[in-house]
Amino acid sequence: MTEIELALTNHAGLHARPAAQFVQKAAQFKSKVQILAGSKTADAKSILAVMGLGLSTGMSFTLKVDGEDEQACIDALRHLVESKFGEV
């Protein structure tokens, strides 16, 4: 199991389009992927669960990945967040 802390620095936080990108990327991996934010935990492969976290710009969260391809999954999701979901 691998955990990392990430912060949202994109303009609008984890609203619909970035949330969809995040979920689609997480779904490409076999590992179990969870987002922990405050007292909430969400399945990162569920768009409703991810959007239900209400994560906005400047908020941090823990990404917890467990499975055979966890490092590749962490790397891909970290890149997505750190690249600000392709927002300009």
Side-chain angles (χ1 to χ4, degrees):
M1 177 175 38
T2 304
E3 290 185 19
I4 61 168
E5 291 286 323
L6 293 171
L8 292 171
T9 58
N10 63 315
H11 180 66
L14 212 50
H15 66 88
R17 189 182 62 78
Q21 288 179 289
F22 195 92
V23 168
Q24 289 171 353
K25 185 61 73 180
Q28 293 175 359
F29 298 92
K30 294 179 180 177
S31 294
K32 180 178 179 181
V33 186
Q34 291 183 306
I35 298 172
L36 294 80
S39 62
K40 297 180 180 178
T41 301
D43 177 355
K45 296 181 180 181
S46 165
I47 186 74
L48 292 176
V50 171
M51 291 190 67
L53 293 172
L55 294 173
S56 59
T57 302
M59 294 182 78
S60 296
F61 62 94
T62 300
L63 186 62
K64 185 175 171 182
V65 182
D66 188 19
E68 63 187 73
D69 54 2
E70 64 189 38
Q71 190 58 54
C73 182
I74 286 275
D75 292 345
L77 292 172
R78 179 190 341 229
H79 176 72
L80 183 62
V81 171
E82 291 178 349
S83 69
K84 301 181 181 183
F85 300 90
E87 292 180 3
V88 188

